[in-house]
Amino acid sequence: MDVETTDVEVSIRVDGTAHRVTVDIRTTLLDALRERLGNTSPKKGCDHGQCGACTILLDGRRVNSCLALAVAYDGAEIVTAAGLGSDGELHPMQRCFIQHDAFQCGYCTPGQIVSAVAMLREAEAGWPSAVTPDGDGGDGGDGGDGDGGGADGRSRMILDADEIRERMSGNLCRCAAYANIVPAIQELARR
Ligand code: FES
Ligand code: FES
């Protein structure tokens, strides 16, 4: 009887380093990163897309890596919390988390920070959230011809506490120790 191989080779860049890795077609990006490449920055909390501990930037957008099959992302650019900084310096979001004592446990914090970096980009791009009032942001809803607006027609998203909580709602902490994350993100959003 022929035994079909289910292994495939994928090329991915992780935190600036190119890798070719052979994975079973059922391997998630999270397992490829952790088990095959030894990158333990993204954590396996629930393994079901419910906690956000495994959040990575995948071609610039945040995803739950436990729900992404590695075989589908040949050629992808991945950034984990460990690769957010550059030139030996922490990412500004990491510094804001330190400044506001927003670091939580090692399990949820990497995902929280990656998600926070991505949500600022999403807000900057004018993507509305479920709590964005009509007129904030630009690209969603009514076409974005609301108040104000920059040269590209987008108004500046108001990142109040409700917006930040909503946009970070995919990143859970089992201990509910969220209090300092919102001001940490607001600090960077103001700059
Ligand atoms: S481990 Fe991926 S969302 Fe929980
Ligand atoms: S502090 Fe990380 S899960 Fe609560």
Side-chain angles (χ1 to χ4, degrees), residues 30 43-54 64-67:
L30 177 60
K43 300 299 187 286
K44 184 179 284 192
C46 63
D47 211 17
H48 284 80
Q50 294 176 347
C51 73
C54 64
N64 290 335
S65 58
C66 69
L67 296 183

Side-chain angles (χ1 to χ4, degrees), residues 48-121:
H48 284 80
Q50 294 176 347
C51 73
C54 64
T55 305
I56 59 172
L57 297 179
L58 179 56
D59 292 330
R61 294 175 62 168
R62 55 178 167 170
V63 302
N64 290 335
S65 58
C66 69
L67 296 183
L69 291 176
V71 65
Y73 295 100
D74 189 34
E77 177 86 31
I78 290 167
V79 177
T80 72
L84 281 174
S86 57
D87 300 328
E89 299 286 331
L90 293 175
H91 187 279
M93 184 64 79
Q94 291 168 318
R95 290 205 296 274
C96 285
F97 266 60
I98 292 172
Q99 188 180 335
H100 289 270
D101 196 18
F103 273 119
Q104 306 192 160
C105 77
Y107 242 85
C108 63
T109 296
Q112 303 271 13
I113 290 179
V114 170
S115 205
V117 168
M119 62 137 278
L120 285 191
R121 290 181 189 167

